[in-house]
Amino acid sequence: MTARANHTLAGYAGKYVVLEWHNPGCAYVKKHYGGNMQKLQKAWTAQGVVWLTVISSAPGLQGHMRPEEANGYIKDRAPRPSALLLDEDGIVARLYEAKTTPQVFLISPEGIVIYTGAIDSKPTIDADDIPAATNYLSAALTESFAGKPVTTAMTRPYGCSVKYAPGPPK
């Protein structure tokens, strides 16, 4: 997998899609990228879920990456998303009103956002909290795969702010 610039949700019609906002400099992201997020990515993509990790940090701000840096990051950190998307102008982040990293959106095969919010119930930077946390994304996927409505469709996201470029998107 390499970082690519052009993806559309229409290209994933009929599939579950996870949009995960990401900033490698964020302590909350680091909490989950010690193995937890990679484990989730691997488990769910093996079941056909498309996992798109989105970096919306503007040039000059924490977390921004050029494509060649993103490719190196993928190789070094071994994340397992379907793709790493660079959204430096923040257009996609603004469209979804992404506020934090990590923040996740789960889109149904019909193209409807069926979950948005925090990855889990422990808004800390301590990785030791992960085993006792409720993983909201996994719960939403599990319920939806079973044909049930998502019990918790929205939670308050936690983490570092998305590092938008100042002013309107270009």
Side-chain angles (χ1 to χ4, degrees), residues 25 59 101:
T101 59

Side-chain angles (χ1 to χ4, degrees), residues 1-169:
M1 189 217 34
T2 58
R4 291 183 32 207
N6 299 315
H7 286 261
T8 65
L9 283 181
Y12 301 114
K15 297 183 178 216
Y16 286 94
V17 176
V18 171
L19 298 175
E20 171 220 343
W21 261 265
H22 186 86
N23 173 345
C26 174
Y28 295 92
V29 169
K30 290 177 184 180
K31 165 189 173 179
H32 290 283
Y33 271 84
N36 179 55
M37 199 70 79
Q38 294 95 322
K39 180 180 165 187
L40 291 168
Q41 292 165 341
K42 186 176 181 181
W44 288 110
T45 58
Q47 294 188 54
V49 173
V50 175
W51 191 298
L52 304 175
T53 298
V54 184
I55 297 178
S56 293
S57 298
L61 298 179
Q62 181 192 55
H64 178 264
M65 288 187 187
R66 294 183 314 273
E68 59 276 7
E69 292 172 311
N71 288 330
Y73 178 74
I74 290 168
K75 184 178 178 185
D76 294 343
R77 288 292 184 120
R80 304 279 187 254
S82 304
L84 175 64
L85 308 181
L86 303 178
D87 176 42
E88 68 180 21
D89 54 14
I91 290 174
V92 177
R94 284 182 173 91
L95 177 67
Y96 283 90
E97 298 179 3
K99 295 173 179 50
T100 65
T101 59
Q103 181 175 355
V104 294
F105 294 79
L106 175 58
I107 302 166
S108 73
E110 297 77 32
I112 299 166
V113 175
I114 58 174
Y115 173 73
T116 180
I119 187 75
D120 69 15
S121 63
K122 299 284 185 176
T124 71
I125 60 171
D126 187 354
D128 291 339
D129 288 341
I130 293 170
T134 299
N135 187 292
Y136 296 125
L137 177 61
S138 284
L141 279 160
T142 299
E143 289 173 336
S144 194
F145 266 55
K148 299 177 183 176
V150 174
T151 304
T152 304
M154 179 183 282
T155 62
R156 183 172 180 245
Y158 70 84
C160 303
S161 65
V162 173
K163 308 303 184 209
Y164 288 107

